[in-house]
């Protein structure tokens, strides 16, 4: 059994409640986050005489560690500090971690980062202690629009037919087989014909190189 997240892109308003709940629960320092919201937009407006047509769109993606079936972070970790725990969630053994940063460079989702105080890798662990106690991850619990779900990835796939593991601007799912399912919004579908850009790149990059 693999555990993972379902994200309803149609429902997300980019409110950042998931981010803030995680920061509070994990007691992260200012500027650090395990879950982050990506703002993606694109398209253009074209004049047609007295009218205009537009392909403009904008949407949000709530993203944390995807607890992949083929985690790039685990493959490059020289000490095996990056591992899958008893629940199958990707976690960091801080006693083994030497802070080399290979995991931060290898992960295409930029999930791990180096804790500036501990000088060790840290990341979303899927709230493994909550899940072991029968609770949902804090980000899922906090989402006001219920855009996030968590559970057995096969059960989530069955509950949400037509979902995908790919959404722009995330890397192709074939790289790591992420345990992430997404219900695409119409805006996210438009993005494949009119590729856009991350409009909050500076915000989400804040802790990428800590």
């Amino acid at each position: 059994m693999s555990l993972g997240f379902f994200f309803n892109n149609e429902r997300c308003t980019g409110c950042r409640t998931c981010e803030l709940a995680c920061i509070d629960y994990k007691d992260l320092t200012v500027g650090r986050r395990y879950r982050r919201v990506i703002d993606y937009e694109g398209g253009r407006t074209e004049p047609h005489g007295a009218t205009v047509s537009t392909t403009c769109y904008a949407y949000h993606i709530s993203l944390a560690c995807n607890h992949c079936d083929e985690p790039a972070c685990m493959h490059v970790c020289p000490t095996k500090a990056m591992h899958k725990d008893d629940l199958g969630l990707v976690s960091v053994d801080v006693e083994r971690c030497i802070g080399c940063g290979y995991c931060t460079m290898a992960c295409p989702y930029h999930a791990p980062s180096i804790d500036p105080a501990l000088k060790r890798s840290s990341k979303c662990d899927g709230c493994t202690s909550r899940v072991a106690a029968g609770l949902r991850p804090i980000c899922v619990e906090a989402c006001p629009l219920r855009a996030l779900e968590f559970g057995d990835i096969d059960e989530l796939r069955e509950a949400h037919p037509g979902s995908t593991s790919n959404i722009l601007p995330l890397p192709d799912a074939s790289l790591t087989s992420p345990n992430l399912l997404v219900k695409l919004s119409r805006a996210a579908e438009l993005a494949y014909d009119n590729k856009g850009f991350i409009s909050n790149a500076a915000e989400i990059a804040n802790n990428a190189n800590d």
Side-chain angles (χ1 to χ4, degrees):
M1 179 182 75
S2 294
L3 297 173
F5 291 97
F6 167 76
F7 170 62
N8 189 332
N9 181 230
E10 288 184 333
R11 289 188 175 185
C12 182
T13 63
C15 70
R16 271 67 170 173
T17 304
C18 55
E19 273 191 14
L20 295 173
C22 176
I23 290 169
D24 180 62
Y25 180 69
K26 293 293 187 179
D27 196 24
L28 300 179
T29 55
V30 174
R32 291 185 56 74
R33 54 178 70 85
Y34 292 163
R35 179 168 288 278
R36 61 198 186 280
V37 174
I38 298 171
D39 298 331
Y40 195 70
E41 59 186 73
R44 60 185 180 179
T45 300
E46 296 181 347
H48 293 281
T51 64
V52 296
S53 64
T54 182
T55 56
C56 292
Y57 62 84
Y59 58 89
H60 315 282
I61 304 169
S62 177
L63 182 69
C65 176
N66 294 315
H67 304 282
C68 306
D69 284 339
E70 297 293 334
C73 59
M74 281 179 54
H75 293 327
V76 301
C77 181
T79 65
K80 308 303 179 186
M82 199 68 73
H83 68 286
K84 288 207 171 192
D85 66 17
D86 293 341
L87 294 175
L89 297 170
V90 179
S91 298
V92 184
D93 183 341
V94 293
E95 297 299 323
R96 285 188 169 190
C97 181
I98 57 175
C100 66
Y102 289 170
C103 58
T104 68
M105 293 182 281
C107 176
Y109 300 101
H110 308 292
S113 60
I114 301 299
D115 185 304
L118 298 176
K119 307 300 182 185
R120 300 289 186 272
S121 180
S122 64
K123 55 178 281 300
C124 160
D125 62 359
C127 286
T128 187
S129 60
R130 287 178 58 87
V131 174
L135 302 173
R136 299 183 297 178
I138 200 69
C139 56
V140 176
E141 194 75 38
C143 179
L145 294 181
R146 299 296 180 255
L148 288 169
E149 296 180 27
F150 180 84
D152 184 317
I153 201 69
D154 290 329
E155 292 180 1
L156 290 173
R157 190 174 286 114
E158 184 176 345
H160 301 286
S163 57
T164 177
S165 295
N166 288 308
I167 182 172
L168 290 176
L170 302 190
D172 192 274
S174 62
L175 291 174
T176 61
S177 299
N179 284 305
L180 170 70
L181 296 173
V182 181
K183 180 179 181 181
L184 295 180
S185 63
R186 176 59 181 150
E189 293 173 348
L190 284 172
Y192 282 93
D193 294 324
N194 301 275
K195 290 186 178 180
F197 62 97
I198 298 173
S199 59
N200 66 328
E203 173 194 336
I204 63 176
N206 276 350
N207 72 329
N209 297 307
D210 281 352

